[in-house]
């Protein structure tokens, strides 16, 4: 877990996401800078990041932070605030996370936020040193000095993987659809202190549609998976649901008569 990654809490309804209007020009500029930031991290060009993309008041924190070992990334969204002078960039970052009690690093795709500010017409990555750090495993607070070392030390206080996985549960792994009851649902409960992302496998069951109420379930909240019978043929299949960042997989057996 890297000190400069913050984890977002974004809920997306089953009927689609609505976002507030933003300046198209500013959003495009921030996105381009964030793309460059993550590409440099992917290519291990950390000096270029520090020189070209990091605000002057955050260079020490960036320089002294742990260097990430990312394997890929995609920009999810850009949210502008403060009259388009501040921005939060949400990304999904493939990286390796070291957990206590495990044999080596765990490969994960983590939701992440970087903070950006506009200075002299250009966007720069920055960190507010003393702000709490939101992670998929809860909120951690660095010591009062706000140094990179204190932020890195705070991020090391993470429980073991098996204990965390037990906090994410599903109400049922079987769904039986009929012509008289063509719509059913199961519930995923997130007992962790941070959000989880829900992904449904792309494998389709003919005559059945599956939709998630939320693409992300916040801490101590629940989200439904809806199953709808759209055909008349008897079918049987498995829907695989993955919960990130810990990678739990739930196989849901679906039958339709």
């Amino acid at each position: 877990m890297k000190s400069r990654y913050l984890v977002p809490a974004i809920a997306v309804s089953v009927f689609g996401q609505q976002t507030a209007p933003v300046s198209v020009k500013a959003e495009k500029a921030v996105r381009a800078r964030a793309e460059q930031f993550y590409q440099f991290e992917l290519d291990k060009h950390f000096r270029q990041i520090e020189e070209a993309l990091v605000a002057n008041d955050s260079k020490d924190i960036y320089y002294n932070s742990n260097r990430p070992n990312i394997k890929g990334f995609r920009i999810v969204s850009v949210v502008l605030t403060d009259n388009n002078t501040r921005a939060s960039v949400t990304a999904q970052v493939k990286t390796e996370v070291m957990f206590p009690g495990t044999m080596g690093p765990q490969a994960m795709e983590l939701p992440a936020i970087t903070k950006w500010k506009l200075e002299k017409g250009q966007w720069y990555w920055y960190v507010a040193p003393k702000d709490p750090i939101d992670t998929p495993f809860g909120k951690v607070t660095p010591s009062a000095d706000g140094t990179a070392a204190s932020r890195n030390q705070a991020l090391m206080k993470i429980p073991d993987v098996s204990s965390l996985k037990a906090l994410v549960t599903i109400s049922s792994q079987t769904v039986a659809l009929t012509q008289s009851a063509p719509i059913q649902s199961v519930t995923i409960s997130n007992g962790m202190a941070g959000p989880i992302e829900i992904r449904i496998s792309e494998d389709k069951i003919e005559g059945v549609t599956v939709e998630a109420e939320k693409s992300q379930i916040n801490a101590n909240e629940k989200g439904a998976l809806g199953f709808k019978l759209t055909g008349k043929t008897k079918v049987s299949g498995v829907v695989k649901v993955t919960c990130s960042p810990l990678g739990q997989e739930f196989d849901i057996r679906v039958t339709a008569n």
Side-chain angles (χ1 to χ4, degrees):
M1 183 64 59
K2 308 307 171 189
S3 66
R4 49 186 174 276
Y5 289 161
L6 306 180
V7 179
I10 303 174
V12 182
S13 75
V14 70
F15 300 107
Q17 185 179 22
Q18 294 182 336
T19 56
V22 297
S23 166
V24 174
K25 183 177 179 180
E27 190 273 344
K28 184 177 179 180
V30 176
R31 183 178 291 269
R33 295 283 280 180
E35 289 273 0
Q36 187 178 20
F37 178 91
Y38 282 114
Q39 188 61 51
F40 278 159
E41 289 208 327
L42 184 63
D43 297 335
K44 306 296 187 289
H45 294 164
F46 303 114
R47 179 62 68 184
Q48 287 91 326
I49 294 176
E50 182 184 345
E51 292 176 349
L53 298 170
V54 177
N56 287 331
D57 59 5
S58 297
K59 287 185 182 295
D60 286 345
I61 286 181
Y62 182 84
Y63 180 80
N64 292 301
S65 296
N66 293 332
R67 294 292 177 258
N69 182 23
I70 73 171
K71 306 299 184 182
F73 69 91
R74 60 184 174 90
I75 304 298
V76 177
S77 66
V78 176
V79 177
L80 294 158
T81 58
D82 296 357
N83 198 27
N84 294 341
T85 63
R86 296 289 187 275
S88 295
V89 177
T90 301
Q92 286 293 117
V93 180
K94 294 180 181 178
T95 188
E96 292 182 342
V97 179
M98 185 68 72
F99 287 93
T102 64
M103 300 298 292
Q106 303 293 306
M108 294 183 177
E109 184 173 290
L110 297 173
I113 287 180
T114 50
K115 300 265 187 170
W116 297 79
K117 62 181 177 180
L118 186 63
E119 292 185 343
K120 298 181 180 179
Q122 188 59 279
W123 287 94
Y124 293 94
W125 176 98
Y126 78 98
V127 167
K130 298 179 183 179
D131 284 354
I133 310 166
D134 289 323
T135 80
F137 320 105
K139 189 183 295 292
V140 295
T141 303
S143 61
D145 59 19
T147 62
S150 70
R151 294 173 70 83
N152 291 338
Q153 185 176 11
L155 285 168
M156 294 175 64
K157 299 176 182 179
I158 298 175
D160 65 90
V161 177
S162 60
S163 297
L164 290 168
K165 284 186 174 182
L167 298 176
V168 179
T169 59
I170 191 168
S171 61
S172 177
Q173 289 185 245
T174 59
V175 172
L177 303 172
T178 65
Q179 296 298 324
S180 59
I183 299 176
Q184 302 288 337
S185 67
V186 299
T187 301
I188 295 178
S189 301
N190 177 20
M192 296 208 313
I196 59 174
E197 181 183 20
I198 305 301
R199 287 181 291 179
I200 302 171
S201 64
E202 296 181 358
D203 297 333
K204 307 295 184 183
I205 301 176
E206 186 177 357
V208 176
T209 60
V210 185
E211 293 183 317
E213 178 188 16
K214 304 174 181 179
S215 67
Q216 292 197 23
I217 302 175
N218 292 335
N220 298 310
E221 292 186 356
K222 299 179 180 181
L225 297 178
F227 298 79
K228 183 178 181 180
L229 181 62
T230 59
K232 295 183 179 180
T233 305
K234 292 183 179 181
V235 296
S236 178
V238 173
V239 173
K240 185 180 293 293
V241 178
T242 304
C243 302
S244 298
L246 297 181
Q248 294 106 313
E249 292 186 347
F250 297 112
D251 290 335
I252 304 172
R253 170 66 62 178
V254 180
T255 59
N257 298 306

